[in-house]
């Protein structure tokens, strides 16, 4: 038989196999993890969003092309990218080999007039002949507009580049200020003409009109005759930007804002560089806040790059904002709050700087979701949860609609604001309302309701995880059922396509996952009939399971749940004890093999949300409920919904307990008794173990006590040793088990009952005969007495 040391060896084997379970997926930040920080955080849009809405475009220019690659594209696609036919593209490619522009022009007689002249100019430019290039480009622009549609934008743009290069030459090599001003003006005029021609309908397949905003803006980034590059403006040790004239900075900001407004990332990055320069030069900052677009740019920069970067001085108890942020707020305040461009943005910035009174004044001067969001934060800062909730509701009503010219919130912030409202509702004890807000936020982002930042292990936003936590651990089963019935209908099973058997978690609709979570809660509560409607229908490929080879297995969760429910029912209603034991063992096997799918927790301790492959990453632990903004009611509900036992893969313990209960009803010396205990022991020995088993080490002390899993395995084995029969597979108990033979158990019980009767008869025969004789004598005496009485009568 198996000896006690074998169990210790099993623990060692479990440790060796644990490495395979050490890797985990990316985990999004959950709003409920740090509730005080979540509710205190500064409302802010990204700089890119704000930059792209500083100036809304009034035209429809072609998108800027940031890179061009001919690799992997066919000839027609390459020609289309140049705005040409394949034949024209071939001719232009051939003409580019000409010795000079004049030769290219002479050989291009078969091309349209504007394309011919432009190609000659391009060849001249490439050969360093700026005069020839200028003449050719001006020739294109001299054509009637209808004859210059192919290349008038291109020609004007190239003229701008030629004049910009000349301006650079006169500023740096010759130091001729007058010539510099002349060439700069000519370049600006040419870039403006490129945009005009594009708006009028000329071809601009390379997005040169939008690019020209940036080229023109660079004309104004000169410091005392020296051009300031992006790297100069980013470098804190470089003071090139300090010498740029304020009027030139304003022009550059307007041009880059226009470029960014057309969706140009280059324009956004250019505004970042300028804002960075200005924020470290207080004089430039003070002078630029008079310009509405420049002021909004600086506030947007402070939003995205400074607002939550706080510093704490040694000995100070208060948290202070970065000095540049305070200086910006003070500069705008000194200018006059009646001249604020974007008071809601500034209100948020003032809140982030700790200027709460100013934030309140600015928020009251504004309307819209961002201003209401700031008012909610201010109410929270005062501890007025009711007023904060009302402000969040006001913000939600004012969410920007698709197509708004200057939306107050970028799309991701809509979900964040909604999610924060859910955190606040939870803090107020409005549990169903909290579920609604976080579910709405999760629906807003799509997929599984979480936002993942690629390349980051812990990043993004876990709205879906937060909603699942409330659904599983905070709401009662009936509250969740009512919520699902009212708001979460099942989605139709999609038609089976060629990729229908490929597993992608985000193909499972959030609502269907929530219904599945409810189904498992109902199963754990013993409400089996109600659970059926919330499981995915059998055959739904979105909920297919996968074997070790990655092959999908049919989804039949409803059938498995019905089988488990039937087994539990029979375990209490079968006519015989062995019949009940057989049903209990059937239920135990289903719980062991399909417990994750029909009984498992979405989050801890089972983590069905990641297939059980990783213990952690979602939901809340008891320690996290010690933080602020957690009600006693939430803690009580959390405790009431805890898994029993609260251990990883808790359904395995449920299965083992059901098998042990089956053994209680079986003849102890039967093969079935040994087999069910063997199976239950194996379920306890199997991994992956609970993290509380300390199986990974990582510097943790060696445990002095066995885990609950191993304690149960030991107890099951010891029960077999004490009560069970010898079986051939006992030496490998828990690893090599037979299936229980219940028919043999019935036969054994019948034979035991007959044997018991026979034994009783043999053991007590003399007493039984004596009693029988006495009984017969008594009966005979009674009969004689009765006969005499009748005779006497």
């Amino acid at each position: 038989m198996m000896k006690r040391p074998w169990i210790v060896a099993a623990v060692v084997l479990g440790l060796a196999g644990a490495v395979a379970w050490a890797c985990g997926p990316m985990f999004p930040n959950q709003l409920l993890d740090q509730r005080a920080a979540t509710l205190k955080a500064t409302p802010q849009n990204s700089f890119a969003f704000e930059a792209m809405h500083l100036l809304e475009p009034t035209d429809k220019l072609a998108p800027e092309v940031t890179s061009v690659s001919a690799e992997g594209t066919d000839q027609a696609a390459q020609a289309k990218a140049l705005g040409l036919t394949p034949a024209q593209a071939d001719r232009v490619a051939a003409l580019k080999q000409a010795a000079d522009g004049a030769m290219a022009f002479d050989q291009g007689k078969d091309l349209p007039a504007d394309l011919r002249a432009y190609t000659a100019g391009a060849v001249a430019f490439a050969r360093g002949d700026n005069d020839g290039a200028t003449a050719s480009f001006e020739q294109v622009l001299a054509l009637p507009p209808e004859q210059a549609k192919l290349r008038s934008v291109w020609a004007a743009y190239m003229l701008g580049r030629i004049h910009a290069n000349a301006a650079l030459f006169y500023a740096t090599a010759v130091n001729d200020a007058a010539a510099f001003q002349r060439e700069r003006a000519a370049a600006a005029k040419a870039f403006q003409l490129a945009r005009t021609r594009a708006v009028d309908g000329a071809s601009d397949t390379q997005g040169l009109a939008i690019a020209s905003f940036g080229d023109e803006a660079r004309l104004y980034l000169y410091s005392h005759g020296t051009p300031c590059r992006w790297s100069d403006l980013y470098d804190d040790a470089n003071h090139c930007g300090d010498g740029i004239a304020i009027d030139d900075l304003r022009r550059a900001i307007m041009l880059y804002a226009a470029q960014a407004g057309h969706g140009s990332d280059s324009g956004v990055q250019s505004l970042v560089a300028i804002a960075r320069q200005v924020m470290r030069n207080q004089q430039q900052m003070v002078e630029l806040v008079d310009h509405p677009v420049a002021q909004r740019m600086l506030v947007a920069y402070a939003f995205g790059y400074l607002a939550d970067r706080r510093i704490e001085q040694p000995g100070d108890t208060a948290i202070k904002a970065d000095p540049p942020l305070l200086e910006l707020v003070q500069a705008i305040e000194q200018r006059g709050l009646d001249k604020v461009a974007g008071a809601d943005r500034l209100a948020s910035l003032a809140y982030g700087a700790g200027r709460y009174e100013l934030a309140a004044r600015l928020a009251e001067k504004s309307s819209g979701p961002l201003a209401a969001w700031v008012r909610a934060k201010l109410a929270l800062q005062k501890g007025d949860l009711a007023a904060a909730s009302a402000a969040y509701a006001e913000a939600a009503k004012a969410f920007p609609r698709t197509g708004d010219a200057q939306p107050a919130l970028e799309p991701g912030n809509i979900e964040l604001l909604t999610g924060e409202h859910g955190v606040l509702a939870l803090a107020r004890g409005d549990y169903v309302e909290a579920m609604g807000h976080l579910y709405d936020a999760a629906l807003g982002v799509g997929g599984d309701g979480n936002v993942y930042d690629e390349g980051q292990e812990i990043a993004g936003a876990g709205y879906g995880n937060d909603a699942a936590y409330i659904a599983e651990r905070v709401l009662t089963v009936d509250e969740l059922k009512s919520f699902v019935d009212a708001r979460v209908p099942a989605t139709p099973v999609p038609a089976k396509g060629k990729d229908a058997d490929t597993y992608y978690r985000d193909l499972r609709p959030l609502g269907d996952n929530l219904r599945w979570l409810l189904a498992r809660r109902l199963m754990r509560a013993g409400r089996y009939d109600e659970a059926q409607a919330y499981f995915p229908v059998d055959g739904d490929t979105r909920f297919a399971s996968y074997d070790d080879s990655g092959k999908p297995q049919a989804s039949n969760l409803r059938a498995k749940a019905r089988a488990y429910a039937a087994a539990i029912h029979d375990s209490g209603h079968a006519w015989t004890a062995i019949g009940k034991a057989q049903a209990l063992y059937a239920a135990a096997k289903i719980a062991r093999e399909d417990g994750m799918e029909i009984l498992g927790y979405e989050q801890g301790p089972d983590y069905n949300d990641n297939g059980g492959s990783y213990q952690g990453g979602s939901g809340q632990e008891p320690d996290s409920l010690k933080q602020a903004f957690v009600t006693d009611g939430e803690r009580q509900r959390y405790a009431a919904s805890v898994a029993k036992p609260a251990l990883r893969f808790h359904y395995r313990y449920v299965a083992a307990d059901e098998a042990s209960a089956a053994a209680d009803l079986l003849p102890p010396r039967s093969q079935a008794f040994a087999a069910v205990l063997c199976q239950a022991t194996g379920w306890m020995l199997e991994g992956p173990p609970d993290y509380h088993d300390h199986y990974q080490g990582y510097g943790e002390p060696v445990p002095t006590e066995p885990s609950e899993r191993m304690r149960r395995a030991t107890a099951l084995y010891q029960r077999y040793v004490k009560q069970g029969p010898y079986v051939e597979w006992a030496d490998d108990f828990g690893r090599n088990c037979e299936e229980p033979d219940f028919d043999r158990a019935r036969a054994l019980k019948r034979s035991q009952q007959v044997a018991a009767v026979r034994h009783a008869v043999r053991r007590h025969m003399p007493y039984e005969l004596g009693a029988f004789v006495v009984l017969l004598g008594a009966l005979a005496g009674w009969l004689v007495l009765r006969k005499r009485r009748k005779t006497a009568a």
Side-chain angles (χ1 to χ4, degrees):
M1 288 190 177
M2 185 181 75
K3 307 300 182 188
R4 183 73 62 87
W6 192 92
I7 293 183
V8 177
V11 179
V12 176
L13 290 175
L15 291 170
V19 176
W21 297 88
C23 297
M26 294 184 298
F27 298 125
N29 287 315
Q30 300 176 137
L31 299 187
L32 297 176
D33 287 346
Q34 301 290 335
R35 304 185 193 188
T38 293
L39 294 175
K40 186 178 181 180
T42 304
Q44 60 189 77
N45 296 317
S46 68
F47 181 81
F49 173 84
E50 291 289 341
M52 289 183 177
H53 292 87
L54 290 174
L55 287 177
E56 296 297 330
T58 58
D59 50 53
K60 294 183 180 181
L61 297 175
E64 183 179 12
V65 178
T66 57
S67 63
V68 179
S69 175
E71 294 185 16
T73 58
D74 57 29
Q75 183 181 16
Q78 295 176 35
K80 183 177 180 182
L82 298 172
L84 306 175
T85 66
Q88 289 174 337
D90 289 342
R91 286 292 293 128
V92 168
L95 291 174
K96 286 183 178 179
Q97 307 305 314
D100 54 37
M103 181 181 292
F105 185 80
D106 184 61
Q107 294 177 358
K109 297 177 182 178
D110 56 328
L111 295 177
D114 62 337
L115 182 57
R116 177 187 181 188
Y118 178 81
T119 303
V123 171
F125 183 80
R127 304 294 184 266
D129 180 9
N130 285 340
D131 290 340
T134 299
S136 294
F137 295 143
E138 288 178 343
Q139 183 179 350
V140 174
L141 296 172
L143 293 169
E146 63 275 7
Q147 296 179 24
K149 286 187 176 294
L150 276 178
R151 286 295 182 263
S152 62
V153 172
W154 301 51
Y157 180 80
M158 289 305 297
L159 273 178
R161 285 189 58 187
I162 290 172
H163 288 297
N165 289 339
L168 177 63
F169 172 78
Y170 285 120
T172 58
V174 180
N175 196 21
D176 186 336
F180 166 75
Q181 293 290 345
R182 182 181 67 249
E183 291 298 328
R184 183 169 74 168
K189 182 177 180 181
F191 288 134
Q192 293 162 15
L193 179 59
R195 298 194 290 274
T196 299
R197 289 298 183 97
V199 171
D200 290 342
S203 174
D204 185 21
T205 56
Q206 294 297 303
L208 298 177
I210 293 177
S212 72
F213 283 115
D215 288 281
E216 184 179 349
R218 280 194 292 274
L219 296 171
Y220 300 104
L221 298 182
Y222 278 80
S223 175
H224 308 297
T226 300
C228 296
R229 299 163 299 179
W230 275 13
S231 58
D232 298 330
L233 301 179
Y234 272 111
D235 186 0
D236 290 342
N238 190 307
H239 298 284
C240 179
D242 294 342
I244 301 175
I246 290 298
D247 286 342
D248 285 349
L249 275 175
R250 291 192 182 102
R251 292 191 186 97
I253 290 170
M254 290 294 290
L255 288 163
Y256 282 134
Q259 186 182 26
H262 283 86
S264 169
D265 182 66
S266 175
V268 172
Q269 296 305 317
S270 299
L271 288 171
V272 170
I274 292 179
R276 182 179 177 85
Q277 158 61 35
V278 173
M279 288 297 289
R280 66 172 186 257
N281 185 311
Q282 187 175 14
Q283 183 59 38
Q284 287 180 338
M285 179 199 299
V286 170
E287 294 188 50
L288 280 176
V289 295
D290 285 337
H291 190 275
V293 174
Q295 182 190 115
R296 286 192 58 195
M297 177 200 71
L298 293 174
V299 171
Y301 179 81
F303 254 145
Y305 291 88
L306 296 176
D308 281 329
R309 285 174 47 210
R310 302 169 186 273
I311 57 176
E312 196 168 351
Q313 299 297 333
D316 285 352
T317 57
I319 295 178
K320 300 179 180 179
D322 278 348
L325 191 154
L326 292 172
E327 291 168 1
L328 175 62
V329 173
Q330 290 168 359
I332 298 175
E333 186 178 17
Q334 290 172 1
R335 180 176 179 266
L337 297 185
D338 57 330
K339 300 178 181 178
V340 170
D344 54 352
R345 271 76 170 173
L346 186 58
S348 182
L349 187 60
Y351 171 83
R355 297 286 308 280
Y356 300 126
E357 292 184 4
L358 176 60
R361 282 190 290 157
L362 289 164
E364 291 303 324
K365 289 169 62 68
S366 302
S367 59
L370 183 56
W373 197 357
V374 173
R375 287 194 288 273
K377 297 288 185 176
L378 292 168
L380 285 167
Q381 194 261 339
K382 295 178 180 178
D384 190 343
L385 302 191
S389 182
Y392 271 114
E394 178 187 349
K397 292 179 181 178
F399 278 161
R401 292 177 291 274
T402 302
D404 282 358
Q406 289 192 322
L409 294 178
E410 61 183 317
N413 269 340
I414 294 176
E415 285 74 45
L416 178 58
L417 190 154
T418 304
E420 286 185 8
H421 197 180
V423 176
L424 176 59
L426 191 60
R428 299 183 67 205
D430 297 328
Y431 305 121
V432 176
E433 180 185 342
M435 177 67 198
H437 292 314
L438 283 161
Y439 181 69
D440 287 339
L443 280 178
V445 302
D448 64 358
N450 298 319
V451 179
Y452 301 93
D453 285 354
E454 295 296 331
Q456 300 293 321
E457 184 177 347
I458 301 179
Y463 307 119
N465 286 355
D466 287 329
Y469 161 73
I470 296 176
E472 186 164 66
R473 302 304 305 274
V474 179
L475 298 187
T476 65
V477 176
D478 287 325
E479 286 172 343
L480 178 59
K481 184 175 180 296
S482 297
F483 180 88
V484 169
D485 289 342
R487 295 202 48 192
V488 191
T491 61
V493 178
K496 185 172 182 179
K498 63 179 182 179
D499 297 325
D501 291 333
T502 301
Y503 177 81
Y504 292 103
R505 179 163 179 76
D506 60 2
L507 292 182
R508 295 180 179 176
L510 180 70
D512 290 273
N513 268 326
L514 183 59
R515 293 176 66 87
W516 187 19
L517 183 156
L518 169 60
R520 299 195 303 274
R521 283 200 70 179
L522 288 166
M523 291 289 289
R524 295 195 297 268
R527 296 163 64 171
Y528 306 121
D529 292 340
E530 294 176 79
Q532 274 291 306
Y534 301 98
F535 277 110
V537 297
D538 291 347
D540 189 339
T541 56
R542 298 170 298 180
F543 292 85
S545 59
Y546 290 77
D547 60 21
D548 293 338
S549 66
K551 184 178 180 180
Q553 304 298 307
S555 169
N556 55 348
L557 299 181
R558 291 190 177 187
K560 292 175 180 177
R562 282 195 300 271
Y564 182 79
I568 292 295
H569 175 271
D570 291 346
S571 71
H573 295 81
W575 286 6
T576 66
I578 293 179
K580 293 177 180 178
Q582 188 170 5
L584 272 171
Y585 178 70
K589 284 198 69 175
I590 297 171
R592 168 60 190 91
E593 295 172 3
D594 303 305
M596 178 68 84
E597 291 78 13
I598 66 173
L599 299 170
Y601 276 71
E602 182 72 1
Q603 297 174 343
D606 302 325
Y607 296 99
N608 180 65
D609 56 2
N610 63 58
S613 62
Y614 196 86
Q615 185 176 357
S618 64
Q620 302 296 311
E621 296 291 336
D623 283 347
S624 73
L625 299 187
K626 298 175 183 177
Q627 62 178 304
F629 295 102
V630 178
T631 64
D632 288 339
E634 180 183 345
R635 296 186 185 99
Q636 292 164 3
R637 286 165 173 249
Y638 180 87
S641 60
V642 70
K644 297 179 177 61
L647 295 170
R648 191 180 189 192
F649 300 164
H650 89 284
Y651 49 85
R652 294 188 181 184
Y653 296 86
V654 172
D657 287 344
E658 289 170 342
S660 181
D664 294 343
L665 301 172
L666 292 168
R669 307 303 296 176
S670 67
Q671 178 270 356
F673 178 87
V676 295
L677 290 179
C678 183
Q679 295 284 3
T681 302
W683 297 339
M684 289 291 92
L685 292 176
E686 291 172 349
D690 193 278
Y691 276 14
H692 297 296
D693 291 356
H694 303 284
Y695 76 98
Q696 292 196 82
Y698 295 151
E700 295 179 358
V702 176
T704 57
E705 297 291 335
S707 67
E708 176 64 19
R709 197 169 53 84
M710 295 311 301
R711 282 195 295 270
R712 293 195 182 206
T714 302
L716 289 165
Y717 172 66
Q718 289 177 339
R719 181 183 180 188
Y720 160 70
V721 170
K722 182 178 180 179
Q723 300 177 355
Y726 171 78
V727 290
E728 294 180 354
W729 31 270
D731 287 341
D732 204 10
F733 201 82
R735 296 293 184 186
N736 181 23
C737 307
E738 289 183 354
E739 280 295 312
D741 189 333
F742 292 102
D743 288 337
R744 286 171 57 189
R746 291 185 178 91
L748 175 61
K749 187 169 186 178
R750 285 194 297 270
S751 66
Q752 288 175 339
Q753 290 170 338
V754 170
V757 171
R758 288 176 177 174
H759 175 73
V761 169
R762 286 195 300 269
R763 181 178 179 182
H764 302 290
M765 182 63 71
Y767 303 105
E768 292 167 350
L769 288 174
F772 182 69
V773 170
V774 171
L775 180 62
L776 285 177
L779 179 61
W782 179 77
L783 291 174
V784 170
L785 180 62
R786 183 181 180 190
K787 184 176 181 181
R788 289 176 179 176
R789 289 175 178 174
K790 287 182 177 180
T791 303

